[in-house]
Amino acid sequence: MAESEKAETEPKVAVTDPRSERYPLLKFMLADYIKSLCEQHHLDLTLLKTKDERIAALQLIPGLEDVSVAKTSPTTTTDSNLRKLKGFRQLVSDDDIECYLATFERQCMHQTIPKTRWAGELEAYLTGRAQQAFSLLPEGQKQDFVAVREAILSAYRLTPEAYKDKFRTAQKLSSETFQQYAGRLHLYLRRWLNPSDQLLRDDEFQTIVGKLIVDQLIFSLNDESLRLKLLEQRWLKIEELTSFADNLMLARFSLRGRAPVGMRTNTASGRSGNNNAPAGQNYSRVNPPQMGQSAAEPRRGSGQPSPQQRLQHNLRSDMGTARATGQPQHPPWPRSSQAGQSVNSNDTATSGI
């Protein structure tokens, strides 16, 4: 008798066949969500302590909200079928959470998914800190994508104050173009100000945002010459500034490594250095001709003096010897025949006298 009364007081947890489950998606839900469903339907959580027991109790409730619309066959219910967003993958630890959420928004808009479903779609892809931040939200905010996004960014310490510091201390990376750098600054400024959709459509607001980005981009550059070059003009649009800066850097890179014009070699004409030199002559070595050497005569090595140099050397030696001995200084070269005849005749006349 006591055993029968004890059996009547214990909750009846039905173990159903998976093929006859009303809500096969319940087993993929978080434990907090299952707990909230049990509280909404006034189930005794002191008796239903495990997640499996609570799911089995929820399977007995007809017309269960939130999960009844997602009823599918258990034979086709898989982890991939729960993710209806095409071209998107699960969050991993190496992902940048800002880029990840921005990509998710673009994919949802591209696939025309209603914004009311964004939070539910995102839940299936979250892991780690992002999943924990989502599970800690109240049930009323779990369907609000803006609240979910702010909670995830706060978990990664990406608050408006953090974005303000990022905007003011940003530096251009060597691996990114000026267009990419301007886009990064725009993202920081937008996350910092957090403007409404109506303000984003305002042309005057967009003009102010563009001026702020132009000012921050120019004064954050470490290249002083480039910074002064960009300050010479008045930029009305950020697109004009980034296009000019990217083209300027491309021109600098293309000119880097080229030799000066005077050092280029023209192999076709046989010239090098001086482009005005005649073909076949090389004036790359500017060496003036030595004393007694004509410009047309090729220069000899240091150990091979020219005939003119030898003659001048012999002349200086003979003249020095004559002065030392007191002999008349005659030139070392032979006299002409006429000069020799005149001199001989004079000598003969003198001797006759």
Side-chain angles (χ1 to χ4, degrees):
M1 186 65 180
E3 294 180 357
S4 61
E5 292 178 357
K6 183 178 180 181
E8 292 177 357
T9 57
E10 291 181 353
K12 296 181 179 180
V13 179
V15 180
T16 59
D17 187 0
R19 292 173 295 180
S20 61
E21 291 180 355
R22 291 181 178 178
Y23 316 110
L25 295 181
L26 281 176
K27 57 187 175 182
F28 297 103
M29 301 299 178
L30 296 175
D32 293 340
Y33 180 70
I34 300 298
K35 179 181 178 180
S36 63
L37 287 179
C38 294
E39 292 176 351
Q40 291 177 9
H41 294 83
H42 308 287
L43 297 179
D44 192 356
L45 297 180
T46 58
L47 299 177
L48 303 174
K49 296 182 179 180
T50 64
K51 180 181 178 181
D52 295 336
E53 293 177 353
R54 295 171 183 177
I55 291 176
L58 290 173
Q59 296 286 355
L60 302 176
I61 302 176
L64 191 63
E65 298 178 358
D66 296 337
V67 295
S68 59
V69 295
K71 182 177 179 180
T72 58
S73 174
T75 58
T76 59
T77 301
T78 60
D79 186 62
S80 60
N81 290 333
L82 291 176
R83 302 170 186 174
K84 301 178 181 179
L85 195 61
K86 298 180 180 180
F88 201 68
R89 59 172 177 79
Q90 195 174 23
L91 177 66
V92 295
S93 58
D94 295 337
D95 287 335
D96 188 337
I97 190 62
E98 298 173 336
C99 299
Y100 185 84
L101 294 177
T103 304
F104 175 81
E105 295 180 27
R106 289 194 299 269
Q107 290 290 339
C108 289
M109 290 186 292
H110 179 70
Q111 300 183 30
T112 64
I113 297 177
K115 198 170 184 178
T116 55
R117 291 175 47 194
W118 287 11
E121 293 285 343
L122 181 62
E123 181 185 4
Y125 298 94
L126 298 179
T127 59
R129 283 189 290 175
Q131 186 182 37
Q132 184 179 7
F134 181 89
S135 63
L136 294 177
L137 284 174
E139 292 299 327
Q141 296 182 3
K142 288 182 178 180
Q143 300 302 323
D144 185 2
F145 178 76
V146 177
V148 171
R149 183 184 61 191
E150 295 299 329
I152 294 175
L153 293 177
S154 298
Y156 283 84
R157 298 182 180 179
L158 298 176
T159 59
E161 290 296 325
Y163 282 112
K164 180 180 71 174
D165 296 337
K166 283 177 173 288
F167 178 78
R168 291 179 174 178
T169 60
Q171 295 288 334
K172 180 183 176 298
L173 304 177
S174 59
S175 60
E176 64 181 354
T177 62
F178 279 91
Q179 183 179 4
Q180 295 173 342
Y181 180 43
R184 186 158 57 90
L185 290 176
H186 187 272
L187 176 63
Y188 294 159
L189 185 61
R190 183 175 176 180
R191 297 298 188 193
W192 170 24
L193 301 178
N194 194 17
S196 61
D197 295 338
Q198 182 179 1
L199 191 59
L200 289 174
R201 291 190 294 267
D202 188 3
D203 295 337
E204 185 176 359
F205 176 77
Q206 294 295 337
T207 303
I208 296 175
V209 168
K211 291 182 178 180
L212 291 175
I213 295 175
V214 167
D215 184 76
Q216 179 62 30
L217 187 148
I218 293 177
F219 286 95
S220 65
L221 297 177
N222 295 325
D223 191 344
E224 184 177 359
S225 61
L226 178 59
R227 183 169 63 250
L228 295 177
K229 185 70 175 180
L230 296 178
L231 286 174
E232 293 177 355
Q233 303 186 31
R234 182 179 179 182
W235 305 100
L236 300 178
K237 295 183 179 180
I238 186 63
E239 292 81 6
E240 298 176 357
L241 170 63
T242 55
S243 178
F244 175 82
D246 286 333
N247 292 332
L248 182 61
M249 295 304 296
L250 183 61
R252 285 187 177 184
F253 291 147
S254 62
L255 294 176
R256 183 176 298 175
R258 291 187 179 183
V261 177
M263 299 297 295
R264 298 178 187 174
T265 302
N266 191 344
T267 57
S269 59
R271 302 193 298 263
S272 64
N274 189 356
N275 294 332
N276 297 324
Q281 296 186 11
N282 187 355
Y283 291 160
S284 59
R285 296 180 59 185
V286 182
N287 294 321
Q290 300 294 332
M291 181 181 297
Q293 178 184 5
S294 62
E297 182 181 356
R299 183 182 178 183
R300 292 175 173 82
S302 58
Q304 300 179 0
S306 63
Q308 289 84 352
Q309 291 175 342
R310 290 198 298 270
L311 180 61
Q312 292 176 2
H313 177 71
N314 296 334
L315 177 61
R316 287 193 296 268
S317 300
D318 294 342
M319 294 178 66
T321 303
R323 283 194 296 267
T325 58
Q327 298 178 359
Q329 301 177 5
H330 299 288
W333 54 81
R335 298 177 181 180
S336 62
S337 59
Q338 295 179 359
Q341 293 176 2
S342 60
V343 171
N344 295 332
S345 60
N346 292 334
D347 292 341
T348 306
T350 305
S351 59
I353 293 174

